[in-house]
Amino acid sequence: MDDTFKPTDIKCLPGSFSSAWQSPSNIAIVKYWGKLPGQLPANPSLSLTLEKCHTETRLEMSRRDTAKEGFDVKIYFGGQEKPSFAPKIEKFFSRIEPYAPYLKDYCFTVRTDNTFPHSSGIASSASGMSALALCLTDFERTCGQTTAGQDFSRRASFYARLGSGSASRSIYGCAAVWGKTPAVENSSDLYAVPVPYDSVHPVFRNMCDTVLLIESGSKSVSSTEGHALMDGHPFARQRFVQAGNNVEALAAILREGDTEAFGHMAEAEALTLHAMMMTGEPYYILFKPFTITAIQAIWAYRRDTGAQVYFTLDAGANVHILYPEAEKDKIRDFIEKTLSPACGNCGFIHDNAGTGPGKLD
Amino acid sequence: MDDTFKPTDIKCLPGSFSSAWQSPSNIAIVKYWGKLPGQLPANPSLSLTLEKCHTETRLEMSRRDTAKEGFDVKIYFGGQEKPSFAPKIEKFFSRIEPYAPYLKDYCFTVRTDNTFPHSSGIASSASGMSALALCLTDFERTCGQTTAGQDFSRRASFYARLGSGSASRSIYGCAAVWGKTPAVENSSDLYAVPVPYDSVHPVFRNMCDTVLLIESGSKSVSSTEGHALMDGHPFARQRFVQAGNNVEALAAILREGDTEAFGHMAEAEALTLHAMMMTGEPYYILFKPFTITAIQAIWAYRRDTGAQVYFTLDAGANVHILYPEAEKDKIRDFIEKTLSPACGNCGFIHDNAGTGPGKLD
């Protein structure tokens, strides 16, 4: 148990409660890959928070009549009950229960929906888990639950992290860091903290990210399995050191507004993430052929036009195309007319760095 | 100067000399990637020698009338004079001159040809440099040049290595090791040695390798540049240790005839080689989209049929498909009917482990 987040007594549990939040996905520039026990990161990571790719979650809680074993959770996704999603929520609840001792006192109904297409290969765990964490933290705030520092976002991030590591960063707008790093004050392995807004150069505050939807359906290797393969990985120790250094370098790049250095970092980190998959035991590849097509096309376009356009990848085949707002018209034209057709007319979502989660109604 | 190969006096230089050799390409299972100064390998490597992909080289030498600066070399490729190839030969000559002090006493005409298509992305440096090294060693033998150990192949491999690292392994049939390793007696960083034929299980002695021709034209990053990027590479030290261990493990696998372990090693090494490129500074990718298509198709076919079929890659986009002779009909059918069409009806060359170079008359 992390003492910072140990629960205080909630004097009066309400009969029912409802809260709804929208919370965004995020795109890591310096990647989190490799876990320590207890859902702690093997290295710090730094992401931009997205705006349009987000989850909307409504949580309804009502007092349970009788004490039973386990949690009582019903989950609806896009209006349909999804019993298959329940085990993930139950696992999340069991992880946070030491900090949220009221969980077995309630029946939960979770209604959730994403703004991005289902099975499009966009990780919904970051937006989904952060939205749910915000609802629960909202409940605690309503009940007068207090924590050290009284920081609502920090507690929500702490909960989100226990659901999905990268979800911890979705609690904040603009840019966030998860994992202890000298680059950002008060950073922690337990929760994410924002990169202070005034230490992010304006060019990055609304950085564009067009997600090229190359993947659909489920991945051949889940991120959970992938993280596990960093245990005993031949290059793990050097990689973790590198990522720590990269977070420090990126914090300076964000301050200075150096888009070229930012793009170089984003691409190098993306290729390193996938190189770790290719060199693990067992080895695997999450690239699809069109991932290579897109990367080569972006490199060719940049070489030919001098445009500020870069890519990054998550642990999947989709390509995130990063470019400053000032280049928007030109780059979107390239994406729509050249890049998407080259990738079999794959779909895309134009997104950008956003302001973080928000409470609904 | 490596004393082992220092020249002895050649008493009588003939007025003219001619020699012709054919020498094969080879496919590394444990890869050489990263050079120490003096064309020495940062780690040992182990390859199978190919049969059909080879170079035929005829060397004609005649005494020079007058002493001039530099070497006098004319090179013909496929019957056409190729002045553009001369600098590579001259560089090679300047490297071996301390061991071959007669080089400036002759005019050289090199007529060379490959059995595989030009610009098909098959490295011709291994077969080309080894064939030329054999011609020169042949000259020395004719003239009574002696070297420590009197080993013709070893001297040819030493020369070949100074032309192109991987060429050193093409001097021997079946399987060869370049670089000091406890796995093979008398192995050396200066030249390759054969993996003793009776310590190679029969299944590997004629192992099939179908080269899928995905690349054409020149590569975006040359192997010379690629090797250089291992200097200061974040994962270099661990990689070199790993390769050393892999050569030892592979020697045992070859002895025992474990095709599955062989295939796993071949694939892991291929992906690690490309991962090193992706994680260097600067990073780059030599995969083409069809490289991914082919790899995924091979994995799917293996999963579906249980066939012993594996891939490896050189420093390029072409996919080498490895399978035992016993699976030949089935796998070649798959390659011709399914795999090649999936890769845009790319060409392929059916090859197999062979018996090494041979003198032509």
Side-chain angles (χ1 to χ4, degrees):
Chain A
M1 153 115 31
D2 295 305
D3 277 358
T4 323
F5 295 98
K6 71 180 177 198
T8 56
D9 276 352
I10 294 179
K11 299 291 183 235
C12 173
L13 288 177
S16 67
F17 175 79
S18 162
S19 175
W21 285 75
Q22 73 165 48
S23 189
S25 191
N26 66 73
I27 178 68
I29 306 303
V30 176
K31 308 293 184 182
Y32 150 57
W33 200 244
K35 266 186 216 187
L36 304 179
Q39 193 74 357
L40 295 173
N43 64 255
S45 55
L46 193 160
S47 58
L48 297 184
T49 305
L50 295 179
E51 183 171 318
K52 297 197 184 57
C53 291
H54 65 252
T55 297
E56 296 184 2
T57 296
R58 174 169 301 278
L59 177 70
E60 284 155 9
M61 299 167 59
S62 60
R63 287 296 294 268
R64 241 163 138 170
D65 294 335
T66 51
K68 272 187 252 165
E69 276 298 298
F71 303 107
D72 187 332
V73 183
K74 265 207 171 84
I75 176 147
Y76 294 82
F77 179 73
Q80 300 284 312
E81 194 176 349
K82 286 274 181 191
S84 63
F85 286 19
K88 204 168 176 185
I89 306 286
E90 281 158 17
K91 190 170 174 194
F92 171 54
F93 276 16
S94 68
R95 282 188 186 156
I96 66 172
E97 196 186 11
Y99 311 94
Y102 52 84
L103 289 174
K104 285 194 178 133
D105 294 320
Y106 285 90
C107 311
F108 292 86
T109 303
V110 181
R111 295 175 202 280
T112 191
D113 223 337
N114 296 335
T115 55
F116 44 90
H118 186 51
S119 284
S120 63
I122 296 183
S124 54
S125 58
S127 54
M129 283 297 174
S130 59
L132 187 54
L134 285 158
C135 292
L136 287 170
T137 312
D138 200 14
F139 168 77
E140 295 180 7
R141 178 168 60 182
T142 307
C143 298
Q145 163 82 298
T146 57
T147 56
Q150 304 289 331
D151 189 315
F152 178 83
S153 296
R154 189 164 293 179
R155 190 173 187 92
S157 178
F158 173 80
Y159 279 165
R161 190 260 303 173
L162 288 166
S164 162
S166 58
S168 67
R169 297 184 308 249
S170 280
I171 300 297
Y172 308 98
C174 197
V177 156
W178 171 39
K180 191 78 194 146
T181 166
V184 179
E185 226 182 331
N186 299 318
S187 54
S188 168
D189 287 349
L190 299 178
Y191 46 81
V193 297
V195 179
Y197 193 72
D198 54 12
S199 72
V200 177
H201 188 279
V203 74
F204 295 122
R205 290 180 188 165
N206 58 356
M207 193 75 178
C208 297
D209 176 359
T210 297
V211 192
L212 212 56
L213 302 172
I214 286 168
E215 182 158 44
S216 66
S218 60
K219 284 183 293 190
S220 53
V221 177
S222 74
S223 290
T224 301
E225 294 168 284
H227 281 289
L229 295 179
M230 288 302 282
D231 296 340
H233 190 290
F235 310 129
R237 208 155 57 91
Q238 286 66 34
R239 164 56 193 158
F240 299 149
V241 170
Q242 177 188 56
N245 294 338
N246 283 355
V247 164
E248 291 184 57
L250 182 56
I253 288 166
L254 289 180
R255 232 178 1 254
E256 291 152 15
D258 186 341
T259 49
E260 203 169 319
F262 172 88
H264 186 87
M265 174 76 78
E267 295 188 350
E269 278 281 320
L271 296 182
T272 299
L273 171 67
H274 284 257
M276 292 301 111
M277 299 169 188
M278 286 162 51
T279 50
E281 177 53 53
Y283 49 79
Y284 64 104
I285 297 180
L286 293 185
F287 292 147
K288 305 265 183 199
F290 283 146
T291 310
I292 304 296
T293 307
I295 291 172
Q296 302 283 13
I298 291 165
W299 283 346
Y301 182 79
R302 187 165 81 217
R303 200 170 46 235
D304 296 347
T305 65
Q308 295 279 325
V309 56
Y310 303 92
F311 76 86
T312 192
L313 307 163
D314 262 347
N318 294 331
V319 176
H320 288 248
I321 306 164
L322 302 165
Y323 49 98
E325 164 86 11
E327 305 253 18
K328 194 161 115 171
D329 293 344
K330 189 170 67 175
I331 306 292
R332 292 197 173 176
D333 195 59
F334 159 65
I335 292 169
E336 288 164 34
K337 297 206 179 119
T338 307
L339 192 53
S340 164
C343 297
N345 282 310
C346 64
F348 48 82
I349 301 171
H350 291 315
D351 208 336
N352 50 262
T355 54
K359 190 165 178 174
L360 300 172
D361 60 30
Chain B
M1 154 113 34
D2 294 306
D3 277 356
T4 323
F5 295 99
K6 72 181 176 196
T8 55
D9 275 352
I10 295 179
K11 299 292 181 230
C12 173
L13 289 177
S16 67
F17 175 80
S18 162
S19 175
W21 286 76
Q22 73 166 48
S23 190
S25 190
N26 66 71
I27 178 68
I29 306 303
V30 176
K31 308 294 184 182
Y32 151 57
W33 200 243
K35 266 187 215 186
L36 305 179
Q39 194 75 356
L40 295 173
N43 64 256
S45 54
L46 194 160
S47 59
L48 297 184
T49 305
L50 295 179
E51 184 172 318
K52 298 198 181 57
C53 292
H54 66 251
T55 297
E56 296 183 3
T57 296
R58 174 169 300 277
L59 177 70
E60 284 154 9
M61 298 167 59
S62 60
R63 288 297 292 267
R64 241 162 138 171
D65 296 333
T66 50
K68 273 187 249 162
E69 276 299 297
F71 305 106
D72 186 331
V73 183
K74 264 206 172 88
I75 178 148
Y76 294 82
F77 180 72
Q80 300 284 312
E81 195 179 348
K82 286 275 181 191
S84 62
F85 285 19
K88 204 166 177 189
I89 306 286
E90 282 159 15
K91 190 170 174 194
F92 170 54
F93 276 15
S94 68
R95 281 189 187 154
I96 66 171
E97 197 188 10
Y99 311 95
Y102 52 84
L103 290 173
K104 284 194 179 136
D105 294 320
Y106 285 88
C107 311
F108 293 85
T109 305
V110 181
R111 294 176 203 279
T112 192
D113 222 336
N114 296 335
T115 56
F116 43 92
H118 186 51
S119 284
S120 63
I122 295 183
S124 55
S125 59
S127 54
M129 284 295 174
S130 57
L132 187 53
L134 284 158
C135 293
L136 287 170
T137 312
D138 200 13
F139 168 76
E140 296 180 6
R141 180 167 59 180
T142 307
C143 298
Q145 162 84 295
T146 57
T147 55
Q150 304 289 332
D151 190 315
F152 177 84
S153 296
R154 190 164 292 179
R155 190 173 187 92
S157 178
F158 173 79
Y159 279 165
R161 189 259 304 173
L162 289 167
S164 161
S166 59
S168 67
R169 297 184 308 248
S170 280
I171 300 296
Y172 308 98
C174 196
V177 155
W178 171 38
K180 190 79 193 145
T181 166
V184 179
E185 225 180 332
N186 299 318
S187 54
S188 167
D189 287 350
L190 298 178
Y191 45 81
V193 296
V195 179
Y197 192 71
D198 55 12
S199 74
V200 177
H201 188 280
V203 73
F204 295 122
R205 291 179 188 166
N206 58 356
M207 193 76 178
C208 298
D209 176 0
T210 298
V211 192
L212 213 55
L213 302 172
I214 286 167
E215 182 159 45
S216 66
S218 60
K219 285 183 292 192
S220 53
V221 177
S222 75
S223 289
T224 301
E225 293 168 283
H227 281 289
L229 297 179
M230 288 303 281
D231 295 341
H233 190 290
F235 309 130
R237 209 155 57 87
Q238 285 67 35
R239 163 58 194 158
F240 300 149
V241 170
Q242 178 189 57
N245 295 337
N246 283 355
V247 164
E248 291 185 56
L250 182 56
I253 288 165
L254 290 180
R255 232 177 2 252
E256 290 153 16
D258 185 342
T259 49
E260 202 169 317
F262 172 88
H264 186 88
M265 175 75 79
E267 295 188 348
E269 278 281 321
L271 296 182
T272 299
L273 171 67
H274 285 257
M276 291 303 110
M277 299 168 188
M278 286 162 51
T279 49
E281 176 54 52
Y283 48 79
Y284 64 104
I285 297 180
L286 293 185
F287 292 148
K288 305 263 183 201
F290 283 146
T291 310
I292 304 295
T293 306
I295 292 172
Q296 303 284 13
I298 291 165
W299 283 346
Y301 182 78
R302 188 165 79 217
R303 198 171 47 235
D304 295 347
T305 66
Q308 295 278 325
V309 56
Y310 303 92
F311 75 88
T312 192
L313 308 163
D314 263 345
N318 293 332
V319 177
H320 288 249
I321 306 164
L322 302 165
Y323 49 99
E325 163 86 11
E327 305 253 19
K328 193 161 115 171
D329 293 344
K330 191 169 66 175
I331 305 294
R332 292 196 173 175
D333 195 61
F334 158 66
I335 292 169
E336 288 164 32
K337 298 209 178 117
T338 307
L339 193 51
S340 164
C343 297
N345 281 310
C346 63
F348 48 83
I349 301 171
H350 291 313
D351 208 335
N352 49 263
T355 54
K359 189 167 177 171
L360 301 170
D361 43 35

